[in-house]
Amino acid sequence: MEQKDFLSSDSPTWCPGCGNFGVLTALKKAIVNINKEPKDILLVSGIGQAAKLPHYIKCNCFNGLHGRALPVAVAAKIANHKLTVIVTTGDGDCYGEGGNHLLHNIRRNVDITVIVHNNQIYGLTKGQASPTTDIGYVTQFQPQGVFEEPLHPVSMAISLGCGFVARGYSADTKHLSWLIGEAIRYKGFSLVDVLQPCVVFNKKNTYQWYSEKAYKLEPSYDSSDKVLALQKADEWDNKIPLGIIYKKQKQTFEEKTGLYNLPPLIEQDIENIDITIALEEFK
């Protein structure tokens, strides 16, 4: 497959310079590299600027409620384990409204990939603080500055037992594309937190700010060392590591339940099923 096979007729409506463009470019490269056809890929999103991304790639897509992308994605994967299911979501959508779904689906370990466009602000709704906004940052809705501690999604995901946790940067599309590809190939729940500048509403965490702090992990870094991974995940103020922070293979939901031994619902013969007994119960 080539990138032209995934071209959508919809044009992006993001602001010029938005970090979402880098995530879109990286994801397009990644899905071409995994050599799947558009019919074999499902993109799921909730609400937000990040949630618009599935409109800009030609494949199956589901655009649902705010914070509710994960239940849809998980259900689709369970119904058809041959689908490659990818969630594109923002820090507000996933770590705020959808936080409970994130927590329990890490625990469930269904084989899906979650890409979080983390711009540390609510961009679609004009710049309120999100769960990852830095403490002290002043917005028009927090004029005295944010006083709540920010959520640290990478260390949180590792602590919850997520088997694949990575951080990328939308300005480095080559590296981000590789990270997304590795996340899709990983068998189990994978989380890619992406540093993604919002050029309109976040005047602190800019391209320059991220570029001065972000660095790639060395090839010798041992991503299977959980203690080391948590140390790396805690780096933020002066240096921000990019790469696969933690990786450990775990038994998936599909393996535990035997789903891999069953055909997807779409391949099952439902024409010759006798439902007489079931109907009798409703008489």
Side-chain angles (χ1 to χ4, degrees), residues 227-253:
V227 174
L228 180 59
L230 286 169
Q231 290 173 353
K232 286 296 175 186
D234 282 343
E235 290 184 12
W236 182 260
D237 291 331
N238 298 312
K239 295 176 67 180
I240 305 175
L242 305 177
I244 300 174
I245 308 292
Y246 182 65
K247 182 178 179 181
K248 179 182 180 181
Q249 201 59 56
K250 303 169 61 178
Q251 192 176 27
T252 66
F253 177 88

Side-chain angles (χ1 to χ4, degrees), residues 162-265:
C162 187
F164 186 103
V165 186
R167 180 190 282 127
Y169 178 30
S170 67
D172 189 344
T173 57
K174 182 178 180 181
H175 184 252
L176 179 58
S177 177
W178 173 74
L179 283 179
I180 292 172
E182 291 298 299
I184 294 172
R185 292 185 184 92
Y186 174 79
K187 203 171 186 180
F189 190 98
S190 53
L191 177 72
V192 183
D193 185 76
V194 184
L195 307 177
Q196 179 254 304
C198 174
V199 295
V200 175
F201 294 110
N202 190 334
K203 300 300 184 184
K204 176 187 175 184
N205 309 110
T206 61
Y207 285 103
Q208 181 179 356
W209 190 90
Y210 285 127
S211 296
E212 289 174 352
K213 299 172 185 296
Y215 74 97
K216 294 174 189 169
L217 292 169
E218 295 291 333
S220 59
Y221 172 75
D222 182 4
S223 61
S224 68
D225 186 333
K226 192 169 186 177
V227 174
L228 180 59
L230 286 169
Q231 290 173 353
K232 286 296 175 186
D234 282 343
E235 290 184 12
W236 182 260
D237 291 331
N238 298 312
K239 295 176 67 180
I240 305 175
L242 305 177
I244 300 174
I245 308 292
Y246 182 65
K247 182 178 179 181
K248 179 182 180 181
Q249 201 59 56
K250 303 169 61 178
Q251 192 176 27
T252 66
F253 177 88
E254 295 91 328
E255 290 170 334
K256 289 178 181 176
T257 56
L259 277 175
Y260 286 136
N261 299 322
L262 300 172
L265 285 179

Side-chain angles (χ1 to χ4, degrees), residues 25-60:
T25 299
L27 179 56
K28 282 181 178 177
K29 290 180 180 176
I31 59 177
V32 168
N33 288 336
I34 62 173
N35 201 29
K36 298 268 187 177
E37 296 183 30
K39 68 177 180 61
D40 298 323
I41 298 173
L42 170 65
L43 298 181
V44 184
S45 66
I47 296 295
Q49 294 290 4
K52 297 177 180 177
L53 187 146
H55 304 178
Y56 310 138
I57 296 180
K58 189 182 78 173
C59 61
N60 301 297

Side-chain angles (χ1 to χ4, degrees), residues 90-212:
D91 44 306
D93 190 55
C94 186
Y95 301 144
E97 282 81 357
N100 191 46
H101 297 302
L102 176 66
L103 187 159
H104 290 290
N105 282 302
I106 286 176
R107 186 170 62 87
R108 194 166 286 127
N109 198 30
V110 178
D111 184 16
I112 64 173
T113 295
V114 179
I115 302 169
V116 182
H117 305 218
N118 186 357
N119 60 14
Q120 302 182 252
I121 207 79
Y122 278 92
L124 183 67
T125 47
K126 314 304 181 190
Q128 302 99 321
S130 84
T132 56
T133 302
D134 286 337
I135 195 165
Y137 186 68
V138 175
T139 78
Q140 59 179 324
F141 304 99
Q142 287 85 20
Q144 306 302 318
V146 175
F147 58 86
E148 296 170 310
E149 291 284 341
L151 187 73
H152 300 288
V154 173
S155 55
M156 179 187 71
I158 297 170
S159 299
L160 288 172
C162 187
F164 186 103
V165 186
R167 180 190 282 127
Y169 178 30
S170 67
D172 189 344
T173 57
K174 182 178 180 181
H175 184 252
L176 179 58
S177 177
W178 173 74
L179 283 179
I180 292 172
E182 291 298 299
I184 294 172
R185 292 185 184 92
Y186 174 79
K187 203 171 186 180
F189 190 98
S190 53
L191 177 72
V192 183
D193 185 76
V194 184
L195 307 177
Q196 179 254 304
C198 174
V199 295
V200 175
F201 294 110
N202 190 334
K203 300 300 184 184
K204 176 187 175 184
N205 309 110
T206 61
Y207 285 103
Q208 181 179 356
W209 190 90
Y210 285 127
S211 296
E212 289 174 352

